[in-house]
Structure formats: structure tokens, C-alpha cells
Amino acid sequence: DVQLLESGGSLIHPGGSLRLSCVVSEVTFTTNARGWVRQAPGKGLEWVSVVSGSGDTTHYADSVKGRFTISRDTSQNTLYLQMNSLRAEDTAVYYCVKAPGYYDASAYYYPRYFDFWGQGSLVTVSS
Amino acid sequence: QSALTQPASVSGSPGQSITISCTGTSSDVGGHNHVSWYQQHPGKAPTLMIYDVSDRPSGVSYRFSGSKSGNTASLTISGLQAEDEAIYFCSSSTTTSVLYVFGTGTKVTVL
């Protein structure tokens, strides 16, 4: 089975920056798309960002576009989420996920579902 | 784009069957066969239960089944067991720039 282990969550002031990491124990790291899904305390799930298996396609939810950046280090089997200009509404548990997708006529990747989840990393944005 | 609409709660007795609905629009549930369902126990990460409307991942009980009609998807749990008590979220790809949306979540209680 795939295992995903997140780290990096902490208490941060509004306007601050934080980087989450996710170590993936899977041989096919560069084959599978991955991403981040978050859940505010007591609330529902919200998709945040995904990157295709090839790494050439990234997508972001409107709520984080321009502030968050997804990236990966294939040599370390690690996925990252760089979060800048953090707001109180970004407070949530952030889950690293494996994100099988589908491809349009231009071979552009889109997320389809999330079949493996990490245990989550709590980010609290508060003064 | 709004979240998909689910009932806040559904309950049933052990052994019974229950169905959770998930209502969207022609831009998401009605426009894609990429509807999935997740189970979340308190304090735990979600687990994928159904993908592509009605497919079950390896290891998921046959008691869980999914379907779709028009803009509404459904998750049926048959032979309800105490361990099924959890929150269930539906989700769908979309044909808009939003790309992906989750449902509001349904708390299942086993009486």
C-alpha cells in the first residue's frame, strides 16, 4: 500500500509563510498524481492543489491561487505545499493525497478522486 | 461553485440498509462519471469507499454501493454495522474552472 507522511504544520501568524512536506513510500512516485486536501476544524473537505504524475500540470483551488505553490522532489519522493500570505481561513488539517486523474483531448491532467490519504498536518493561522 | 448537497444526518438500525444522496448540477455530478465517496471516522483521515460512481477499491466491503441518476448520486450501505457509524462525503469532478468539489457531509448513526 501507499503510505503518505505529512509534516510541517504549526501555529503561524496571519500573513506568514509555511511549507508542508509529504514523504511518499511508493516506487511509482513520478507516475502518480498527488495533491493536498484540507479540512477546517469541524468542517467539510476542500480540495487545495494537485500536480500530475509527470509534474507538468498543476491546479489550485480559487481560494489559494496565487498564494500556495505545490511542488515535488522526485529524488526524495517528497511532495511540498508552500503557503504564503496565510489567512485565518487557511486554518485546517492538511492531508497529502494520491490523486488519480483523467486526461482531456490535449492530454491535460485533471483530478478524479483521492485514493490514499496521509494522517494530516494541522496548520493554525492566528495572532 | 457550491458544495454538493447531502443530508446532514441519516440513521438506521443494525442490519438495515440506508441511502445517502448527493445532489449537484449538470456541471458536476450530472456532467461526469467521476463521483466518489469517502468515509471519515472521528479524528481520522478520510478513506475512499467508492470511485467513478460505483466502483469499489480493493478492501472495501461489498455492503457499500454507489449509483447515479441525473444530477444526484447515491451511496447505499446494506447490512448496517456499528463500524459504519461515521461521516460520509461525496465528491465530483466538474466541467468548470473549479475542477473538483466535495459534498457537505452526512453523519451516519447506527441506532
Side-chain angles (χ1 to χ4, degrees):
Chain A
D1 269 359
V2 177
Q3 293 197 359
L4 307 137
L5 185 62
E6 303 98 334
S7 62
S10 71
L11 171 64
I12 189 85
H13 291 312
S17 297
L18 198 62
R19 188 178 79 162
L20 300 182
S21 300
C22 172
V23 177
V24 181
S25 64
E26 184 181 33
V27 174
T28 54
F29 181 79
T30 55
T31 300
N32 295 309
R34 305 183 193 282
W36 296 90
V37 173
R38 69 184 181 184
Q39 186 172 35
K43 301 296 184 182
L45 301 170
E46 180 187 17
W47 158 74
V48 174
S49 180
V50 291
V51 57
S52 63
S54 62
D56 58 3
T57 300
T58 58
H59 295 295
Y60 298 91
D62 287 342
S63 57
V64 306
K65 202 171 291 183
R67 300 186 301 122
F68 290 13
T69 302
I70 192 170
S71 64
R72 57 189 204 163
D73 182 339
T74 56
S75 67
Q76 300 291 322
N77 270 27
T78 302
L79 182 73
Y80 300 103
L81 185 68
Q82 177 67 43
M83 303 183 292
N84 299 330
S85 303
L86 282 161
R87 307 165 180 167
E89 55 264 37
D90 295 319
T91 294
V93 173
Y94 285 73
Y95 295 102
C96 175
V97 294
K98 179 168 162 281
Y102 67 99
Y103 296 82
D104 66 8
S106 302
Y108 204 55
Y109 159 84
Y110 295 93
R112 186 162 132 231
Y113 57 86
F114 306 114
D115 56 353
F116 289 94
W117 298 62
Q119 86 290 348
S121 184
L122 177 62
V123 173
T124 304
V125 184
S126 175
S127 54
Chain B
Q1 183 152 5
S2 301
L4 306 176
T5 301
Q6 298 180 235
S9 62
V10 173
S11 62
S13 300
Q16 284 187 330
S17 292
I18 61 170
T19 297
I20 304 168
S21 62
C22 171
T23 302
T25 69
S26 58
S27 295
D28 38 63
V29 174
H32 265 292
N33 283 327
H34 301 151
V35 176
S36 50
W37 291 88
Y38 304 85
Q39 176 192 66
Q40 187 177 35
H41 287 111
K44 301 294 187 182
T47 301
L48 178 68
M49 305 302 285
I50 296 288
Y51 66 98
D52 291 351
V53 177
S54 59
D55 290 340
R56 269 191 314 275
S58 172
V60 172
S61 172
Y62 68 91
R63 298 185 298 104
F64 292 85
S65 62
S67 63
K68 189 185 84 165
S69 177
N71 296 336
T72 298
S74 299
L75 174 71
T76 297
I77 309 174
S78 58
L80 199 61
Q81 299 179 1
E83 68 215 46
D84 300 332
E85 190 162 286
I87 297 177
Y88 292 81
F89 295 94
C90 65
S91 66
S92 174
S93 300
T94 81
T95 57
T96 70
S97 60
V98 172
L99 297 188
Y100 199 85
V101 63
F102 282 98
T104 51
T106 297
K107 180 174 174 52
V108 168
T109 301
V110 181
L111 302 172

